[in-house]
Amino acid sequence: ISPTWFSVTDNSGNISSIASTDYVDYAHQCGLEVWALVDNFDQNVDDMELLSHTSSRENLENQLVNAALQNGIDGINVDFEQIPTDVGDHYIQFIRELSVECRKNGLILSVDNYVPSAYTAFYDREEQANFADYVVIMGYDEHYAGSDEGSVASIGFVTNGVADTLKEVPADQIILGCPFYTRIWAETPKADDEEDTTTAAAEDYVPYDLTSEAVGMDTVQKRLELNGATPTWSEEDGQNYAEYVNDGVTYKVWIEDAASLEKKLEVMKSNKLAGISFWKLGFETDSIWDTIIKYTNN
């Protein structure tokens, strides 16, 4: 289990921590390792300033390792997102140095990565794999808040993401990250007074405002039942799809459920990956674990 416990708080490499020894002890009693997550989401942190200086990297590395040891944590999961291109080399140096400290102290190091693309090549997954124990593919957010509507993680998106990562990283170091969440997309018609003749005639004019909401599996099922929507299987997306209209608003849903998750588990299994992970705990239905166990316990 990978709780979000650490956040970088300044350019000197200091961190905030909500790590809990009691939580770790309970997880260990349940047979679980704890890989505490560190993120770079604080708006006060400049990634270049943080990672381009040896002193700030070392401070960050030491604080992470010391916090892990003090709380009995088994590993560190690095979730640094939206790093600027010119910070790539410094980021990789941070992973190298952190891996040395983790190895010396018996800690597992895993690193979260976007699905490979031209604009994320500087994350250098191949070099990560030379130092980190595991490279995690965040196989979701194919469509996201602010993007066009569509699936969070269609099977093609996931399959291609794994295939491209395998070009850089050995299968036994890859963990496939999958979503427990679904986006419910809402197309709200624009009011007549928002339109003018010129705008409405434009080829790229869209007659509605598009918004979305990320929700868990139970919420999706309740919304569909409440609105009398019947899902149908989309072979292209590898998941069920449903849409309905409520109060003039059209809702479209590419559903993450046991059927879509099984497709992704098959990708993990057929490629002999190290494992699979999910974002995030609490968004799933209890029964989903029966599907997961079929693929992870044999």
Side-chain angles (χ1 to χ4, degrees):
I1 191 165
S2 185
T4 302
W5 276 353
F6 306 131
S7 289
V8 185
T9 56
D10 60 34
N11 296 336
S12 298
N14 294 309
I15 63 172
S16 62
S17 171
I18 55 170
S20 164
T21 303
D22 289 342
Y23 182 108
V24 174
D25 290 343
Y26 182 72
H28 287 170
Q29 290 170 20
C30 297
L32 296 173
E33 289 188 5
V34 178
W35 297 0
L37 184 150
V38 56
D39 67 42
N40 66 331
F41 298 170
D42 192 308
Q43 296 298 311
N44 295 315
V45 176
D46 182 302
D47 291 324
M48 176 62 85
E49 283 297 310
L50 170 68
L51 297 174
S52 65
H53 299 285
T54 302
S55 58
S56 52
R57 289 198 309 269
E58 286 184 350
N59 185 38
L60 174 55
E61 292 149 13
N62 289 336
Q63 289 204 30
L64 288 171
V65 170
N66 289 339
L69 296 177
Q70 288 169 10
N71 291 280
I73 291 165
D74 305 285
I76 295 171
N77 174 254
V78 177
D79 186 22
F80 278 23
E81 300 184 23
Q82 297 184 338
I83 296 173
T85 306
D86 57 356
V87 182
D89 289 344
H90 305 301
Y91 174 64
I92 291 300
Q93 184 60 20
F94 164 63
I95 297 299
R96 292 188 189 106
E97 293 168 359
L98 181 59
S99 75
V100 172
E101 295 306 311
C102 284
R103 203 159 272 119
K104 285 196 302 191
N105 290 281
L107 300 171
I108 298 294
L109 176 61
S110 59
V111 185
D112 298 341
N113 285 271
Y114 299 111
V115 165
S117 64
Y119 55 86
T120 62
F122 66 91
Y123 272 80
D124 199 347
R125 297 160 191 81
E126 184 174 1
E127 184 68 357
Q128 285 184 33
N130 289 330
F131 293 90
D133 296 289
Y134 298 103
V135 173
V136 184
I137 308 170
M138 295 186 290
Y140 39 80
D141 283 344
E142 177 183 5
H143 296 87
Y144 50 88
S147 79
D148 294 338
E149 59 197 346
S151 173
V152 164
S154 69
I155 193 60
F157 176 79
V158 173
T159 301
N160 291 337
V162 169
D164 289 340
T165 303
L166 282 166
K167 296 173 184 175
E168 301 181 82
V169 182
D172 61 2
Q173 284 182 264
I174 296 174
I175 295 173
L176 172 59
C178 295
F180 275 157
Y181 67 94
T182 291
R183 281 198 173 276
I184 298 179
W185 297 88
E187 297 176 354
T188 305
K190 292 179 178 175
D192 291 339
D193 58 6
E194 291 181 36
E195 300 179 20
D196 62 52
T197 307
T198 304
T199 302
E203 286 186 12
D204 59 352
Y205 175 73
V206 177
Y208 54 80
D209 292 316
L210 182 66
T211 56
S212 69
E213 176 188 6
V215 298
M217 294 181 176
D218 276 331
T219 299
V220 171
Q221 294 309 314
K222 288 174 183 174
R223 295 271 184 94
L224 296 183
E225 290 169 9
L226 189 63
N227 289 278
T230 303
T232 57
W233 181 255
S234 167
E235 193 64 39
E236 178 183 359
D237 296 307
Q239 58 194 149
N240 285 302
Y241 171 81
E243 63 178 79
Y244 57 90
V245 178
N246 187 325
D247 198 22
V249 179
T250 300
Y251 295 88
K252 297 183 177 181
V253 195
W254 285 262
I255 305 164
E256 293 296 340
D257 56 16
S260 68
L261 189 57
E262 189 143 19
K263 288 286 187 182
K264 297 171 176 64
L265 285 158
E266 287 169 357
V267 171
M268 177 206 70
K269 198 77 169 179
S270 63
N271 286 284
K272 300 179 179 177
L273 304 185
I276 196 161
S277 61
F278 306 96
W279 179 263
K280 67 177 180 171
L281 196 64
F283 275 173
E284 82 283 10
T285 55
D286 290 344
S287 61
I288 210 73
W289 294 105
D290 295 332
T291 302
I292 294 168
I293 288 168
K294 285 196 301 183
Y295 287 84
T296 56
N297 276 13
N298 53 49

